[in-house]
Amino acid sequence: MIHGSDYLSKLYNDLITNTPQTFSMNISSEFGPGRIAQTKIKHGVILSDWQMRYQSDTDVNMQGPGNDEYIQIIFCLNDGVSWGIMNEPRSITLQKNESCIYVGNERAEYICYKKNSDFSFKTIKIPITYFAQLLSEYFEGQEVTAYRKKLLEGISKIPVTPIMEQILAEMNQFSQYRGSLGYLYLDGKLLELLSVYLGEVLELDILMGKNITMSRTERTAIMETKRIIDSQIAFAPSCKELSRLVHLSVPKLSRGFSSLYGISIHQYIIDQRLAQAAQLLLDGDRNVSEIASIVGYGKPSNFAAAFKKRYGVIPKNYRETRFNRLNE
């Protein structure tokens, strides 16, 4: 018979040991400074963080085995890289703040790192079986078909948006949760990231065409508008300038953007700026005035007011408030 105190002790120990397992390793010094960290969570999902600098007189070409059991998402957060799959036309080049999603292949993959460059990648590997399960659980009919065709038959590349960066940064905070709660936290963040990511990847006209009266040309222009904004969120062009860049009148652009994304251009820019600011505040490397400037606010007071309206707390208290909530 197990006594109450013994049972609780065992339960507590099991809880603490049943936590997302992370390991890290340094890259060989002959290549240059670098570190790789990897965390495995439920359903076999693998999260990786690569930070490295190849100090070489020439570009570094590497080759490794592929794996067709996973769908992979790669976020390039610093210098760019190019790679492909042997004996296949599938290849891609990622620049800073670009991302791609693709299904692995059993054939070897090759990659080229530019000499004397700083590389920062975050990757997510999701078992195909689990990804298919998510599609079937959350989507129906036409949607599932569209996602399968788009995601499982090629490589899709999109910008890394500020909201994606924020979620990726928040994933690193899972260690603030004890034991199995870390799994629950990461599962939630993974689904949050996927919902944002898939919305960016899939051409919205595939799913929304029957609900919105808009030509393909107009939709393409509006989606390009969003990409332009995401690529320069702190200094996003005015509606008039965006209109000129995508060759669509201001009224059509404004109405179309709201119809496709459910938010006005102005509000979208504000939300993205504040999401980027929240991430920078969590990083804790800059003061409020610096962050206000980085995300496009000329006056810190205007930034503080907008941030409090969005997050319910002034910027300087945001990081402390977030960590306090994690420890409650």
Side-chain angles (χ1 to χ4, degrees):
M1 180 177 181
I2 301 177
H3 295 291
S5 59
D6 293 335
Y7 171 78
L8 290 177
S9 296
K10 181 177 184 304
L11 180 64
Y12 180 77
N13 288 329
D14 289 345
L15 177 67
I16 296 302
T17 55
N18 183 30
T19 188
Q21 297 300 306
T22 296
F23 81 88
S24 61
M25 59 178 289
N26 292 323
I27 293 175
S28 174
S29 58
E30 65 179 284
F31 292 107
R35 192 168 186 80
I36 302 170
Q38 182 172 287
T39 301
K40 189 170 185 177
I41 59 175
K42 295 293 186 182
H43 309 291
V45 177
I46 299 173
L47 313 175
S48 299
D49 189 341
W50 302 64
Q51 307 292 330
M52 50 192 156
R53 177 181 178 83
Y54 283 114
Q55 296 175 337
S56 171
D57 295 332
T58 61
D59 296 345
V60 179
N61 294 288
M62 302 181 66
Q63 180 177 319
N67 192 322
D68 59 358
E69 297 179 357
Y70 293 93
I71 186 166
Q72 303 190 53
I73 309 176
I74 300 178
F75 301 87
C76 180
L77 304 177
N78 210 325
D79 290 332
V81 68
S82 61
W83 83 92
I85 299 171
M86 297 295 288
N87 301 319
E88 278 204 10
R90 292 197 294 169
S91 63
I92 197 167
T93 298
L94 289 182
Q95 302 300 327
K96 183 177 181 180
N97 291 330
E98 288 186 336
S99 175
C100 73
I101 182 170
Y102 72 104
V103 174
N105 193 292
E106 60 184 5
R107 296 190 180 97
E109 296 184 0
Y110 59 89
I111 190 166
C112 177
Y113 294 103
K114 295 295 183 181
K115 62 181 180 180
N116 296 321
S117 297
D118 291 307
F119 299 101
S120 175
F121 302 100
K122 291 184 183 293
T123 69
I124 299 175
K125 296 173 66 175
I126 306 172
I128 292 291
T129 52
Y130 179 52
F131 188 77
Q133 177 187 329
L134 289 175
L135 289 182
S136 63
E137 287 182 354
Y138 289 97
F139 304 100
E140 297 180 356
Q142 181 185 358
E143 292 179 322
V144 174
T145 301
Y147 276 116
R148 284 184 177 276
K149 182 175 179 60
K150 185 71 177 181
L151 301 173
L152 304 182
E153 298 180 8
I155 299 178
S156 297
K157 184 169 74 170
I158 61 170
V160 179
T161 67
I163 288 180
M164 291 179 197
E165 290 189 84
Q166 180 183 355
I167 299 171
L168 287 168
E170 290 174 346
M171 281 182 162
N172 293 331
Q173 299 169 27
F174 77 88
S175 59
Q176 301 291 327
Y177 290 86
R178 293 188 176 186
S180 298
L181 293 176
Y183 282 117
L184 183 62
Y185 177 81
L186 283 175
D187 277 349
K189 285 299 171 184
L190 174 65
L191 293 178
E192 182 181 2
L193 181 61
L194 279 177
S195 67
V196 173
Y197 200 90
L198 296 184
E200 294 288 335
V201 170
L202 193 67
E203 295 177 4
L204 295 181
D205 54 349
I206 294 176
L207 300 181
M208 303 179 68
K210 62 182 180 180
N211 299 322
I212 299 175
T213 304
M214 187 184 302
S215 71
R216 176 174 290 274
T217 299
E218 289 174 344
R219 291 178 196 170
T220 300
I222 291 165
M223 293 171 72
E224 177 62 20
T225 297
K226 184 173 180 294
R227 281 192 283 268
I228 292 171
I229 293 171
D230 289 338
S231 69
Q232 46 186 313
I233 192 67
F235 304 101
S238 65
C239 276
K240 185 175 181 180
E241 178 62 13
L242 287 168
S243 170
R244 184 188 68 79
L245 290 171
V246 301
H247 309 291
L248 199 64
S249 70
V250 171
K252 281 188 175 181
L253 178 61
S254 298
R255 288 195 302 268
F257 194 96
S258 295
S259 295
L260 274 183
Y261 298 109
I263 190 173
S264 70
I265 293 176
H266 176 69
Q267 189 59 50
Y268 177 78
I269 292 172
I270 291 175
D271 287 354
Q272 295 299 303
R273 285 176 173 174
L274 294 178
Q276 183 181 34
Q279 179 203 335
L280 292 171
L281 287 165
L282 288 175
D283 291 343
D285 296 329
R286 298 179 175 88
N287 62 43
V288 173
S289 294
E290 289 176 319
I291 291 174
S293 178
I294 289 172
V295 301
Y297 281 86
K299 294 183 178 180
S301 58
N302 291 342
F303 165 63
F307 192 90
K308 183 177 181 180
K309 183 178 179 180
R310 173 68 175 82
Y311 291 100
V313 62
I314 59 176
K316 70 177 182 179
N317 293 340
Y318 178 72
R319 189 168 187 268
E320 179 182 358
T321 300
R322 288 282 302 178
F323 287 142
N324 285 342
R325 288 175 181 171
L326 291 176
N327 291 319
E328 287 178 354

